[in-house]
Amino acid sequence: MKRIITVQDISCVGKCSLTVALPVISAMGVETCILPTAVLSTHTMFKGFTFHDLTAEITPITEHWKNEKIHFDAIYTGYLGSFEQLDLMKKLIDDFGGKDTLAIVDPCMADNGKLYTGFTPEFALAMAKLCSKADVIVPNLTEASFMLGIPYAEKGYDKAYIEDLLKKLAALGAKKVVLKGVEFEQEQEGLKGIDGKIGIAAYDSATQKFSWYFHKKMPVSFHGTGDIYASVLTGALMRGLPFENAYSLAADFVVESIKETLSHKDYNTYGVDFEAAIPYLVKRLEK
């Protein structure tokens, strides 16, 4: 069985970060070890949440792992809350990475043209340096723009713009790029039937190949779906799925989770019912 380590915060209530990554990747048949960066009473959509920083615990934990000679097949980082944690993740990849260990960085820090509360443009540039150590990075359009230090283009971009963005992201050092939240206002050359759809643009720097995957745009946005996406992508790659199959499965699972959520009249917006969609995920893996 493959073993991964995922480094994110724990929100005790609210479906995101480790409370998403641990059950989802485990359900995919991959041993999921965790390194919590902080403990929150709820995720940050709630008011008055408590927060306990665990940065001081990271080095003692990883030093113990080194003494035990523990090997990870993948290192997957999600939400990181400080410059110090970014530096610690670089060291984690140096200490536990290598040709037999896949490094996946989800630069959770921004969306819809804005950085999350507490983050700065300087932090985004530091996150780009962490991405330079990754085999796969999974930014959305906002995060990509901040890491590259370019204006965020909400609409009006074309295929050539996205391909240039992917190349610039790969130039940071990552071998493969998965760019989330791509949608075009009109059909592009070689991309048909994308009207009203949203999806993924990907780039493999080794082959210099671009690839695309679009799906129906759901009418509601939910907290934590980016974490679900990156978690399924990680699990799929560990299960040996080809790159394109892995990132498309991740998108399909997010859509399925949203559908399950919307099937309830009393659904809330602080997380999706991904648990109900896990049988769908397992069946897809069996194929």
Side-chain angles (χ1 to χ4, degrees):
M1 180 182 289
K2 297 287 188 179
R3 175 192 296 131
I4 72 119
I5 176 66
T6 180
V7 189
Q8 308 185 51
D9 66 276
I10 296 176
S11 293
C12 298
V13 173
K15 302 177 186 183
C16 67
S17 301
L18 285 181
T19 55
V20 164
L22 179 56
V24 168
I25 302 174
S26 295
M28 298 177 77
V30 177
E31 182 183 345
T32 310
C33 307
I34 63 169
L35 180 54
T37 57
V39 177
L40 291 75
S41 55
T42 65
H43 66 49
T44 55
M45 277 190 67
F46 292 84
K47 295 181 179 179
F49 60 87
T50 66
F51 177 90
H52 182 67
D53 185 12
L54 295 176
T55 302
E57 302 300 321
I58 293 175
T59 296
I61 289 171
T62 56
E63 287 299 312
H64 182 217
W65 291 345
K66 283 196 290 185
N67 290 338
E68 294 295 328
K69 296 180 172 54
I70 294 172
H71 171 75
F72 300 109
D73 296 292
I75 299 166
Y76 155 36
T77 68
Y79 185 95
L80 302 169
S82 68
F83 288 94
E84 183 179 359
Q85 288 185 356
L86 292 177
D87 289 337
L88 288 169
M89 291 308 99
K90 293 175 193 173
K91 188 173 188 304
L92 180 72
I93 294 173
D94 287 340
D95 289 346
F96 294 90
K99 64 179 182 179
D100 296 325
T101 300
L102 195 69
I104 301 165
V105 174
D106 183 7
C108 303
M109 59 181 175
D111 203 2
N112 298 314
K114 297 179 180 179
L115 288 162
Y116 295 152
T117 301
F119 291 136
T120 63
E122 290 76 19
F123 183 86
L125 296 178
M127 177 65 80
K129 293 181 180 178
L130 174 60
C131 287
S132 72
K133 289 184 166 291
D135 296 295
V136 183
I137 60 173
V138 197
N140 58 36
L141 279 167
T142 303
E143 291 157 349
S145 298
F146 275 105
M147 287 195 295
L148 295 173
I150 62 176
Y152 167 66
E154 181 179 6
K155 295 180 179 179
Y157 51 78
D158 58 11
K159 183 181 175 184
Y161 173 85
I162 295 298
E163 289 181 345
D164 181 62
L165 200 63
L166 288 167
K167 284 185 175 181
K168 288 177 178 176
L169 288 166
L172 295 174
K175 297 178 179 67
K176 295 179 180 178
V177 181
V178 178
L179 183 63
K180 302 175 295 184
V182 176
E183 55 182 323
F184 296 108
E185 294 180 326
Q186 57 188 14
E187 289 191 350
Q188 304 289 310
E189 183 180 355
L191 301 176
K192 305 299 181 184
I194 59 173
D195 184 48
K197 293 184 177 181
I198 191 168
I200 305 302
Y203 180 65
D204 184 333
S205 61
T207 62
Q208 298 186 341
K209 179 184 177 182
F210 298 100
S211 53
W212 312 81
Y213 184 73
F214 292 90
H215 56 80
K216 179 183 177 182
K217 186 175 182 179
M218 303 304 289
V220 184
S221 296
F222 291 92
H223 193 85
T225 52
D227 301 334
I228 293 172
Y229 183 92
S231 297
V232 175
L233 175 69
T234 299
L237 292 172
M238 287 295 96
R239 286 293 301 267
L241 270 68
F243 181 48
E244 294 180 22
N245 297 56
Y247 70 65
S248 59
L249 174 60
D252 289 345
F253 182 71
V254 169
V255 171
E256 195 69 20
S257 298
I258 294 174
K259 287 180 179 177
E260 289 285 355
T261 308
L262 296 179
S263 70
H264 306 298
K265 293 182 180 179
D266 60 345
Y267 72 84
N268 59 62
T269 57
Y270 64 75
V272 294
D273 293 347
F274 71 87
E275 300 93 336
I278 284 179
Y280 164 87
L281 179 60
V282 173
K283 287 181 180 178
R284 284 284 301 271
L285 286 174
E286 289 174 348
K287 294 180 179 179

